[in-house]
Amino acid sequence: MIIETYNLTKTFGGKGGFSNVSLSVNEGEVFGFLGKNGAGKSTFIRTLLGLLRPSSGEGLLLGHPIGDMETRRKIGYLPELFQYHSWLTGRELLLSHGLLYKMPKSEVADRIDSVLETVGLSGHADKRIREYSKGMKQRIGLGCAIISDPELLFLDEPTSALDPVGRKHVRSIILDLKSKGKTIFLNTHLLSEVEILSDRIAILDKGNLKTTGKMSELLKSPLQIRVQQLNELTVEKLKKFDPEMQISGDTIRLMPGSADSIPEISEAIVGSGAKLFELKRVENALESLFINTVGEEDSR
Amino acid sequence: MRTIIRLTLLEMLKKKILYLTIALTVVFLGLYGTALHFAYKSLPNEDLVIRLAISSQLLSMGIYASSFILSFLSIFASVGAISSEIEQGTYDAILSKPISRTSVLLGRFLGILCVLIPYLVTLMGGILGLNMFFAGGASASIPALSVIRSFCVMCLLPIFLSSMGVFFSTFMPTVGSGVIVVLLYFCAMVGGILEQIGRVIQSDGARTALVNIGIGTSLAMPSDIIYRKASSLLFTTASGLNLTAEGMLGASVQPSMAMMAYICIYSIALVFGAIYKFNTRDL
């Protein structure tokens, strides 16, 4: 396990924060951490990183207790409120953060250009951070997080300041890091991002862990099928895939056992004489799960 | 820690704090030199005793002004050392790296001193040099050892004030820390003046009260006592005569070495206190 927490709790005078969070993150996976504003997601990350003192419970990062100095060499972190010394240039900032990782100066210098290229700031290396746009600051923050090529990355709302192109770029960076075996703890409001990137997710609500599990298990989204000339044979055949399927007019909603059965479903419909007009997965399955878990109320 | 010291020095350079300080110091020394030029020019050449007395007062004034500048630089450089970074949120990215909070705090503290102490030597050296240049043969004869000892004691001023500033900075907002340290500084200054007045007052009761106020404020904030010790060391001639003993800016009784040891221990305690506070707080 790369991250393990056991009843980890951080409250501020008994209020806020999060309580009794026990979860684990496996090596090489992208772990999506979801929750409404004020649910305690950032507090959880900041506690894991030793920026906040836990009120109780235990946490291990890469097998070592949270706050362990040597472990931090292998951890990268992009804070939600990405603030950096604005009087430094992008290159100087990356150098400073590389040196804070205790990397040799020559090694940092060698990595800076490739990191700048990765985050799309090659042409802005010698500009001061104060001249950067908000999106550029978030990108250089991501650069600071990956300068040491860490094993574990905490990304707290990594695309909050980015435009759609920037978001796509950061998604591709995350996928690239995942392909290199890095473990990524992703805290974001963007459910579509989590859906695309995450292997597993956890949902935090009012400081309590509500759901955790594999995306594929949590998001069994139903199929929506629109047919005409629906007949008994079609219904009989489709019930083999989901005995509890729902029929409403010419629309059928069923939950297949696996994605592999979709071609068989289409064959069953056409073969039984019904006309198939549409067959699609119900979208926003994660959104439904999220709303069902935390509710629609907008206050803590 | 070296990276934090480097960042602290870079900050002073990049924010142009250092250049501005140097430029304003040059202006200050220029004005002081001009004043010295006209002051010495107006003094009667034949009366060496008067020239010596005035020379020591002018030098004393320069050293006092220097200590004032240095004190405020120390306070303003240190009261935001930790708190301003926390307020801005820059420490989230830094303290998640493999660097301890103790190293960050000491790096900031030493980085500030790396600027302040050379600045102190330059400023005091400038004041002393200008006096020697304009006074010519009439300047007080100050042994080199006195100068060195005085400069060494004066170094305690930025060390102490920075340690106090950094201490408050670990658990209070920047503005709050600044207000507290500046108020304490002025209390010490007034206490020091009252103590000097007390020493020449005839009434026993009033003398005891004023001297005790001076001692009390010096124990809480020894900035004034550091200046008076440094001044006293500088103006005590080889024969043991203290040329500024009777002035408001001098010291009728030279502060003891025990008091200097107390200041050193106080500074160390403040730094340890700051380390403890920073290590046990949430960011």
Side-chain angles (χ1 to χ4, degrees):
Chain A
M1 291 295 172
I2 295 293
I3 302 173
E4 292 166 87
T5 67
Y6 304 99
N7 293 319
L8 193 64
T9 299
K10 174 66 192 178
T11 54
F12 304 93
K15 293 176 185 168
F18 59 89
S19 301
N20 297 313
V21 173
S22 299
L23 57 78
S24 57
V25 176
N26 302 314
E27 188 175 355
E29 74 180 5
V30 177
F31 191 87
F33 199 52
L34 301 169
K36 288 197 286 196
N37 286 335
K41 305 185 300 294
S42 295
T43 305
F44 182 73
I45 290 183
R46 298 177 84 238
T47 306
L48 284 180
L49 289 164
L51 299 171
L52 299 172
R53 314 266 145 194
S55 304
S56 62
E58 195 189 344
L60 300 172
L61 296 182
L62 300 160
H64 296 94
I66 51 179
D68 180 68
M69 209 59 68
E70 277 307 300
T71 310
R72 289 193 199 161
R73 281 176 185 256
K74 300 167 189 167
I75 296 173
Y77 170 46
L78 170 65
E80 180 187 17
L81 302 170
F82 40 93
Q83 294 294 330
Y84 298 93
H85 294 119
S86 58
W87 34 270
L88 290 174
T89 64
R91 187 180 296 281
E92 288 168 341
L93 183 72
L94 290 176
L95 176 68
S96 299
H97 279 255
L99 294 176
L100 286 171
Y101 274 113
K102 303 190 189 335
M103 293 165 72
K105 199 173 178 179
S106 57
E107 193 186 324
V108 187
D110 287 345
R111 256 190 76 74
I112 285 176
D113 285 325
S114 73
V115 167
L116 283 166
E117 199 180 327
T118 302
V119 298
L121 289 173
S122 291
H124 306 279
D126 299 313
K127 269 189 193 170
R128 290 201 182 188
I129 304 295
R130 73 163 69 101
E131 295 167 38
Y132 279 20
S133 68
K134 210 173 165 190
M136 288 162 78
K137 282 180 188 167
Q138 194 158 31
R139 283 163 184 261
I140 199 72
L142 182 58
C144 290
I146 61 172
I147 187 77
S148 67
D149 194 21
E151 286 177 32
L152 169 62
L153 259 173
F154 287 93
L155 304 178
D156 197 350
E157 303 287 357
T159 59
S160 58
L162 300 177
D163 57 28
V165 177
R167 281 181 183 167
K168 190 165 179 271
H169 185 197
V170 169
R171 275 204 300 272
S172 70
I173 293 172
I174 293 171
L175 288 172
D176 183 50
L177 290 166
K178 187 187 171 187
S179 72
K180 289 176 183 164
K182 311 293 181 191
T183 308
I184 296 156
F185 193 95
L186 180 66
N187 176 9
T188 176
H189 286 298
L190 297 175
L191 300 179
S192 56
E193 228 157 59
V194 175
E195 218 158 357
I196 294 167
L197 298 168
S198 302
D199 300 299
R200 292 199 306 133
I201 60 163
I203 298 178
L204 196 69
D205 182 38
K206 295 173 188 161
N208 297 305
L209 195 62
K210 293 286 183 186
T211 307
T212 180
K214 282 187 180 174
M215 284 286 280
S216 53
E217 287 168 6
L218 292 171
L219 305 181
K220 279 183 181 169
S221 44
L223 282 181
Q224 187 166 291
I225 307 161
R226 202 157 63 80
V227 292
Q228 280 187 3
Q229 297 174 13
L230 184 65
N231 54 57
E232 275 182 31
L233 183 60
T234 314
V235 173
E236 276 308 307
K237 284 189 172 181
L238 290 179
K239 273 190 176 173
K240 287 178 190 166
F241 298 100
D242 178 10
E244 292 172 10
M245 68 174 191
Q246 296 164 6
I247 302 172
S248 170
D250 60 358
T251 305
I252 302 167
R253 190 177 265 235
L254 66 79
M255 186 77 81
S258 75
D260 297 340
S261 51
I262 291 175
E264 294 169 35
I265 291 170
S266 108
E267 268 176 32
I269 295 167
V270 176
S272 62
K275 286 187 175 174
L276 178 62
F277 279 79
E278 188 179 60
L279 190 155
K280 66 174 185 184
R281 281 244 181 230
V282 176
E283 288 175 2
N284 296 327
L286 181 57
E287 188 175 270
S288 303
L289 174 74
F290 183 75
I291 298 289
N292 289 337
T293 307
V294 304
E296 290 193 59
E297 214 176 296
D298 195 25
S299 62
R300 187 163 183 181
Chain B
M1 196 195 299
R2 270 188 304 171
T3 307
I4 300 295
I5 294 175
R6 181 182 159 273
L7 276 172
T8 306
L9 297 176
L10 260 179
E11 182 179 10
M12 293 206 182
L13 285 173
K14 294 257 183 179
K15 284 187 172 174
K16 300 188 174 65
I17 300 168
L18 202 59
Y19 301 125
L20 269 171
T21 307
I22 290 169
L24 290 172
T25 305
V26 169
V27 171
F28 166 71
L29 288 175
L31 286 171
Y32 182 67
T34 309
L36 288 180
H37 168 72
F38 287 108
Y40 282 118
K41 210 174 160 186
S42 67
L43 290 177
N45 281 327
E46 63 279 7
D47 200 339
L48 201 59
V49 176
I50 290 179
R51 278 185 76 96
L52 270 175
I54 298 289
S55 162
S56 60
Q57 289 299 319
L58 287 169
L59 178 55
S60 179
M61 213 159 60
I63 299 292
Y64 189 75
S66 304
S67 80
F68 212 74
I69 294 169
L70 193 74
S71 298
F72 276 85
L73 268 180
S74 308
I75 292 169
F76 292 128
S78 61
V79 291
I82 302 296
S83 55
S84 68
E85 301 275 350
I86 294 172
E87 285 158 14
Q88 287 165 23
T90 47
Y91 273 173
D92 269 27
I94 288 177
L95 287 168
S96 57
K97 305 278 189 303
I99 181 165
S100 68
R101 294 189 186 194
T102 303
S103 296
V104 169
L105 187 137
L106 291 177
R108 290 289 281 166
F109 180 60
L110 294 175
I112 291 167
L113 292 183
C114 281
V115 173
L116 289 177
I117 289 182
Y119 176 76
L120 173 142
V121 174
T122 310
L123 183 60
M124 282 188 63
I127 295 286
L128 208 58
L130 282 170
N131 267 281
M132 289 167 81
F133 178 75
F134 285 109
S139 70
S141 169
I142 302 168
L145 189 64
S146 293
V147 174
I148 293 166
R149 289 175 72 193
S150 172
F151 276 32
C152 287
V153 168
M154 203 61 161
C155 283
L156 281 176
L157 192 61
I159 293 172
F160 176 80
L161 288 173
S162 298
S163 60
M164 183 172 262
V166 168
F167 172 72
F168 282 114
S169 178
T170 54
F171 63 96
M172 287 193 68
T174 306
V175 176
S177 308
V179 169
I180 289 175
V181 182
V182 167
L183 279 177
L184 282 172
Y185 179 80
F186 279 112
C187 283
M189 199 171 81
V190 172
I193 292 170
L194 289 177
E195 190 180 343
Q196 294 308 307
I197 294 169
R199 297 215 185 262
V200 292
I201 275 179
Q202 298 299 317
S203 156
D204 283 348
R207 183 169 58 231
T208 308
L210 292 182
V211 168
N212 283 346
I213 288 172
I215 292 170
T217 53
S218 297
L219 287 172
M221 168 59 99
S223 53
D224 190 75
I225 215 83
I226 294 171
Y227 158 73
R228 287 183 197 279
K229 176 76 177 178
S231 162
S232 179
L233 283 170
L234 189 65
F235 293 111
T236 301
T237 61
S239 60
L241 175 69
N242 186 342
L243 295 172
T244 61
E246 301 307 321
M248 291 300 280
L249 304 179
S252 50
V253 178
Q254 190 179 111
S256 65
M257 283 314 289
M259 187 63 190
M260 296 302 110
Y262 166 78
I263 294 167
C264 291
I265 294 166
Y266 193 173
S267 302
I268 293 167
L270 283 170
V271 173
F272 273 104
I275 290 170
Y276 173 76
K277 285 274 182 190
F278 191 37
N279 272 297
T280 51
R281 72 164 286 173
D282 282 336
L283 287 187

